[in-house]
Amino acid sequence: MPDNATIATLPDSQGHNYRADVQINQPQCDSTKPNDIRPNAIKPSAIEPSAVKHESVVAEQKQKVIFIGLPRTGTTSVSVALLEQGLKVAHMAFTKEAFMQADAISDAPCFSDFKQLDELFPEAKFVYLDRELDSWVPSMQMLLSRMLPHLDAKTGRFHPIMKRSFRHSFGVGLIENPQDEQHLIDCYQRHKQSVFDYFAGRHDFLSIDVSRQGALGQLLTFMGLASAANQQNFPKLNVGRNVASWDEYKHPNKISANASGPEKRKFFDYKL
């Protein structure tokens, strides 16, 4: 997260207008469905109007898997692995169209918006990505050291949706030092607790650590893409450095975070 900062830039010079009509909260450090997910499968989605106020989400949608682990928990490894399974993947999604086109979505804004996305996509499956804190904290500190100038509310060049996600989950722009070790530990633990409380008892939720033996097989089994005997491991990508691994990985099924569609580059109207 993010593998390539330019993917999150507001390209105003091209005349695109983005909507980031979301409410900024105070720093929170926040933060079944047994159907299989198959590449290119289309499944009607019964979305109640009350769950998607002011939205016009199409009636037919692909069933999706949404990864809600924080940055630096293996989102690149997950994204690449699912591309190899034939799924359309968005590593970050800043438009409604990106969500609609993708079978799998990870990173911003999924980790901050999982409750709202659960309402918008009631047929989706959700996967929390876990990681040992002693390795996650320094990795996150390294990432923030490079990202913070671009997350500034007024001068930062990252997309407003990304800025809002980091503001919501890490207090970026609201506290003096978001890279503080104890602050990051608190953010991680509160986000994890919020996720587990929200999805308690549900069968459309999975928690994995991508570094564990057989974790990819566990994910593919959960998605209905492999048998329970599958013991595949995730590829180790973007480890220990903030490089453009996702951007460098070429694949026809990659979905742009800024994908444009019938509603141009509009985002959803929900509030955090």
Side-chain angles (χ1 to χ4, degrees):
M1 168 88 192
D3 294 318
N4 184 353
T6 60
I7 191 176
T9 303
L10 260 179
D12 294 331
S13 61
Q14 300 177 25
H16 299 320
N17 294 318
Y18 294 114
R19 286 187 59 186
D21 46 354
V22 290
Q23 179 177 319
I24 301 298
N25 292 355
Q26 292 299 310
Q28 299 179 24
C29 300
D30 177 43
S31 210
T32 269
K33 301 184 185 79
N35 303 309
D36 292 346
I37 297 178
R38 297 184 176 86
N40 304 318
I42 304 295
K43 179 179 178 59
S45 179
I47 301 181
E48 296 296 333
S50 61
V52 287
K53 293 182 291 186
H54 312 302
E55 289 303 328
S56 57
V57 178
V58 294
E60 287 193 349
Q61 300 175 36
K62 296 177 183 178
Q63 190 184 43
K64 302 180 186 301
V65 58
I66 300 176
F67 293 88
I68 56 179
L70 292 173
R72 309 306 296 178
T73 57
T75 57
T76 301
S77 296
V78 164
S79 297
V80 169
L82 293 186
L83 283 176
E84 294 300 321
Q85 294 294 319
L87 275 69
K88 295 182 178 180
V89 180
H91 184 273
M92 296 184 291
F94 303 132
T95 67
K96 180 187 293 188
E97 187 64 19
F99 274 95
M100 302 312 294
Q101 290 183 19
D103 302 314
I105 310 99
S106 65
D107 221 295
C110 300
F111 61 82
S112 60
D113 298 16
F114 60 88
K115 296 177 183 178
Q116 291 77 15
L117 295 172
D118 184 37
E119 291 185 341
L120 283 171
F121 300 102
E123 297 298 321
K125 294 186 176 183
F126 290 81
V127 179
Y128 174 77
L129 302 178
D130 205 355
R131 186 176 178 181
E132 294 293 335
L133 280 171
D134 60 357
S135 61
W136 178 80
V137 169
S139 182
M140 193 66 200
Q141 288 173 323
M142 177 273 296
L143 179 65
L144 285 172
S145 70
R146 303 187 182 191
M147 289 185 67
L148 284 176
H150 309 299
L151 290 169
D152 183 86
K154 295 182 179 180
T155 63
R157 66 187 181 92
F158 283 166
H159 195 285
I161 299 299
M162 177 181 283
K163 292 180 183 180
R164 190 258 293 147
S165 283
F166 273 75
R167 183 182 180 97
H168 181 271
S169 296
F170 298 104
V172 171
L174 299 172
I175 68 168
E176 182 177 354
N177 182 17
Q179 295 174 259
D180 176 74
E181 179 179 359
Q182 188 57 53
H183 168 71
L184 288 175
I185 291 172
D186 291 343
C187 289
Y188 189 96
Q189 292 176 334
R190 290 174 188 172
H191 173 260
K192 182 175 182 178
Q193 189 65 52
S194 178
V195 167
F196 276 75
D197 287 347
Y198 182 82
F199 288 100
R202 288 176 48 168
H203 301 292
D204 55 354
F205 172 75
L206 175 71
S207 174
I208 59 172
D209 181 332
V210 300
S211 68
R212 302 294 184 184
Q213 181 72 26
L216 177 55
Q218 185 181 4
L219 173 63
L220 297 180
T221 300
F222 173 71
M223 296 170 62
L225 297 176
S227 70
N230 189 296
Q231 290 295 311
Q232 292 184 66
N233 298 320
F234 279 99
K236 293 183 178 180
L237 302 174
N238 206 13
V239 177
R241 58 197 181 109
N242 184 26
V243 297
S245 296
W246 176 248
D247 186 61
E248 292 169 353
Y249 191 84
K250 308 302 180 185
H251 198 286
N253 282 351
K254 288 176 64 172
I255 302 298
S256 169
N258 293 318
S260 181
E263 298 181 72
K264 300 187 183 299
R265 287 181 168 85
K266 185 191 177 203
F267 192 65
F268 298 109
D269 293 332
Y270 61 70
K271 311 294 184 196
L272 287 188

